[in-house]
Amino acid sequence: AGMIVVGLPKNMDASLGSRAQKCMAFAQLLGERTGLPVETWDERLTTVMAYQSMDLTGTYGKKRKKMVDAVSAVIILEGFMAYRKNHHVQ
């Protein structure tokens, strides 16, 4: 891996609450421990999008509960990568 992306749980008004502050501290520690660059990425509404995605694939029940965090992580990473591509960030 050349970089780590950490979801940042901003409030709906884009302010940073206590959970976001903890995530930022975690991201900093992660970077120090791994020596890799760490970026945070807004994760607002990713859980909602994950559930919508699983609705489309017919994923329900226990399997759905187990998969929601993984699907949300994919959405976060896809959003981060799309932003970098569209803004020509290396």
Side-chain angles (χ1 to χ4, degrees):
M3 175 185 289
I4 299 170
V5 178
V6 174
L8 185 63
K10 292 182 177 182
N11 295 322
M12 291 307 290
D13 65 0
S15 64
L16 301 178
S18 63
R19 178 59 63 190
Q21 296 294 335
K22 289 178 183 179
C23 287
M24 290 173 58
F26 173 74
Q28 182 177 351
L29 180 63
L30 193 57
E32 291 168 3
R33 296 262 174 102
T34 64
L36 293 171
V38 177
E39 296 283 339
T40 57
W41 191 252
D42 186 356
E43 67 174 40
R44 285 178 288 178
L45 299 177
T46 56
T47 301
V48 172
M49 290 186 284
Y51 279 119
Q52 290 172 343
S53 176
M54 288 187 287
D55 285 345
L56 294 173
T57 61
T59 305
Y60 298 102
K62 290 181 183 179
K63 186 174 182 182
R64 181 180 175 108
K65 287 184 179 184
K66 290 180 181 180
M67 291 181 61
V68 69
D69 288 337
V71 174
S72 295
V74 169
I75 293 168
I76 291 167
L77 188 55
E78 285 177 340
F80 177 79
M81 291 170 50
Y83 176 86
R84 289 174 55 94
K85 180 180 177 184
N86 293 333
H87 290 85
H88 307 289
V89 177
Q90 294 285 320

